[in-house]
Amino acid sequence: MQHKKIGWSVIITLLVQFCWAQEIIPFDTTHWKIDENATYVLEKYEGKNAIYMKGGRITAKTIEFENGTIEYDVYLKNEQAFPGVLFRAVENDAEEFYIRAHLAGKPDANQVIPVINGITPWQFYFGPKYSFPYEYQYDRWTHVKIAVNGGRAQVYLDHSEKPHHSWNLFHPVRKGKIMLQAGNRSGMHLADIKISNQTPELINFSPGKRKGIDGLIQSWQVSDKFEKSLLEDHQNLSNVIDQRTWRKTISVEEGVAANISRAVVLRDGQPGETAFARIKIQSDRDQVKFFQFGYSDEVLAILNGTPIYKGNNTYRSRDYRYLGTIGLFDGIYLNLKKGTNTLLMAVSENFGGWLITGKFEDEDGLTVTP
């Protein structure tokens, strides 16, 4: 009799999972956890049982998702908001697709992206490999379908038979949570959420490509984090440097930049939004070399203990359209001594990615190590 009870329990569980795979998941506390900071209303809207959300996310309580499909409807408004879905979410990492509701028809009308240690680094993952133009409609529901198979995914909009975008996922294949968000400053409605655990066949899978930057420094040594305010007293810089711990090395990704958030957790309840990225430059003589670099979001460059450059690449720091995306947009002339030189880039993160990249156009007489 004991074995029969276990058998029936398994069958009931499988039936429940099958039903979830086929039916709309109701908005109730049995199926969803709603963030405490979310403003929301459950209501009938434009013919559907919907949830109106502003801020926060809802998380499927009992689903561990690895492969399958995620479908939902969102009622877009022509306002700045970023409704979307996170899947395979484990701790502070996830895969994500979201819509930029106010950018209909633009090349960056949406975004596929990883969440890495709680940061969504869109200032790194930009361009046609990660987004596609789409003319959103603001007077009806928009249907979104995400198909996931192993390390690959596709997105379909408005019941299209062909995928609008294909991409290779960013994290290792594993099971994780599913979360949805409707809006930020501007709230939006979500409805008709369906989740299937049946592995889909991906058709016309053709991920985009991105051209890397030749000659980049491939690795940086990264310190623990600290508060940016400690850099204000230049007389105390040597103490700030001496107090750091150096445990991890980060490498350039996609031939573009190294991601500091791979090594340092920004939002872990501990103070600090700044970390040093370090390289050591062995020079065969006293010489001046031009160094091109990029960073996100703020930087203080320190050569052999002396600050030589300060910059701000923060989102909207230069004008209201400025994105602060990563690239080799800055440069400094380094007065190198014969022997070993230490270049520290104190990089502070605010929003959109914690990044560093750089290269010497002329490497004659130089050996660079992390």
Side-chain angles (χ1 to χ4, degrees):
M1 294 296 292
Q2 183 73 17
H3 293 295
K4 289 183 179 179
K5 289 181 180 179
I6 294 174
W8 276 110
S9 175
V10 171
I11 290 171
I12 291 171
T13 300
L14 290 173
L15 286 172
V16 169
Q17 290 179 348
F18 180 79
C19 290
W20 273 44
Q22 305 298 318
E23 302 297 334
I24 295 169
I25 303 174
F27 293 114
D28 57 38
T29 55
T30 299
H31 298 97
W32 298 101
K33 176 184 177 183
I34 302 176
D35 286 356
E36 293 181 358
N37 62 335
T39 300
Y40 71 96
V41 176
L42 300 178
E43 61 182 355
K44 193 85 171 181
Y45 187 77
E46 295 296 324
K48 295 180 181 289
N49 293 320
I51 182 170
Y52 174 86
M53 289 185 65
K54 183 177 180 180
R57 296 168 178 160
I58 58 173
T59 303
K61 280 188 173 182
T62 60
I63 297 178
E64 288 287 300
F65 181 85
E66 181 176 331
N67 295 315
T69 56
I70 305 165
E71 298 184 61
Y72 59 94
D73 289 336
V74 56
Y75 206 95
L76 299 176
K77 296 185 290 185
N78 190 7
E79 299 177 12
Q80 188 181 52
F82 308 92
V85 58
L86 295 88
F87 56 95
R88 290 183 179 168
V90 178
E91 296 180 347
N92 291 320
D93 293 342
E95 310 285 353
E96 183 174 5
F97 168 78
Y98 64 85
I99 288 172
R100 294 185 172 102
H102 57 300
L103 297 181
K106 303 295 185 183
D108 56 347
N110 41 66
Q111 180 81 55
V112 300
I113 198 166
V115 179
I116 301 170
N117 274 330
I119 292 179
T120 307
W122 56 267
Q123 289 171 323
F124 178 35
Y125 297 99
F126 61 90
K129 184 175 179 180
Y130 315 103
S131 59
F132 58 94
Y134 192 79
E135 291 290 349
Y136 302 123
Q137 302 299 312
Y138 301 111
D139 58 354
R140 61 170 173 78
W141 291 98
T142 295
H143 186 75
V144 180
K145 175 182 174 181
I146 307 293
V148 181
N149 184 335
R152 306 176 301 160
Q154 293 180 312
V155 58
Y156 301 73
L157 297 181
D158 290 324
H159 304 283
S160 170
E161 294 183 359
K162 297 180 180 179
H164 286 92
H165 195 73
S166 301
W167 77 103
N168 291 305
L169 296 172
F170 303 93
H171 294 293
V173 176
R174 58 186 175 182
K175 292 183 178 180
K177 296 290 187 182
I178 290 177
M179 306 174 182
L180 288 97
Q181 58 195 26
N184 304 87
R185 298 176 184 174
S186 179
M188 295 194 180
H189 287 86
L190 294 175
D192 291 1
I193 301 173
K194 300 179 183 179
I195 300 170
S196 169
N197 56 9
Q198 302 299 310
T199 302
E201 178 183 355
L202 303 186
I203 61 172
N204 301 327
F205 186 82
S206 181
K209 296 181 180 180
R210 184 179 193 178
K211 181 176 173 54
I213 303 171
D214 294 334
L216 288 179
I217 293 164
Q218 292 298 302
S219 299
W220 298 76
Q221 193 80 11
V222 179
S223 78
D224 60 326
K225 68 178 181 178
F226 57 94
E227 294 180 87
K228 180 176 63 176
S229 59
L230 296 177
L231 300 171
E232 295 173 0
D233 182 2
H234 292 170
Q235 303 301 316
N236 191 48
L237 271 181
S238 60
N239 290 330
V240 176
I241 296 168
D242 291 343
Q243 291 168 4
R244 304 279 60 83
T245 58
W246 303 84
R247 297 175 182 169
K248 295 185 178 180
T249 299
I250 55 174
S251 298
V252 166
E253 300 178 29
E254 303 203 10
V256 176
N259 190 341
I260 294 171
S261 63
R262 294 279 189 193
V264 187
V265 180
L266 179 64
R267 298 178 182 91
D268 61 355
Q270 301 300 314
E273 70 296 302
T274 305
F276 285 125
R278 181 179 70 185
I279 54 173
K280 293 187 177 181
I281 307 160
Q282 191 75 25
S283 177
D284 66 359
R285 61 190 182 276
D286 291 348
Q287 58 181 324
V288 175
K289 289 288 189 181
F290 182 60
F291 180 67
Q292 293 177 274
F293 65 97
Y295 60 92
S296 179
D297 286 316
E298 299 179 58
V299 74
L300 177 67
I302 304 166
L303 179 63
N304 297 328
T306 301
I308 58 173
Y309 177 93
K310 185 176 182 179
N312 187 346
N313 193 45
T314 306
Y315 172 66
R316 289 186 171 178
S317 60
R318 305 183 190 188
D319 67 61
Y320 72 96
R321 294 166 296 185
Y322 185 71
L323 297 178
T325 49
I326 193 71
L328 297 179
F329 305 133
D330 292 80
I332 45 178
Y333 289 90
L334 299 181
N335 190 4
L336 302 173
K337 65 182 182 180
K338 182 179 180 180
T340 301
N341 301 264
T342 301
L343 179 64
L344 298 175
M345 307 296 274
V347 186
S348 303
E349 164 63 354
N350 176 45
F351 170 56
W354 203 356
L355 309 166
I356 187 68
T357 191
K359 67 179 287 187
F360 288 98
E361 196 68 41
D362 174 14
E363 295 183 334
D364 180 54
L366 302 181
T367 302
V368 181
T369 58

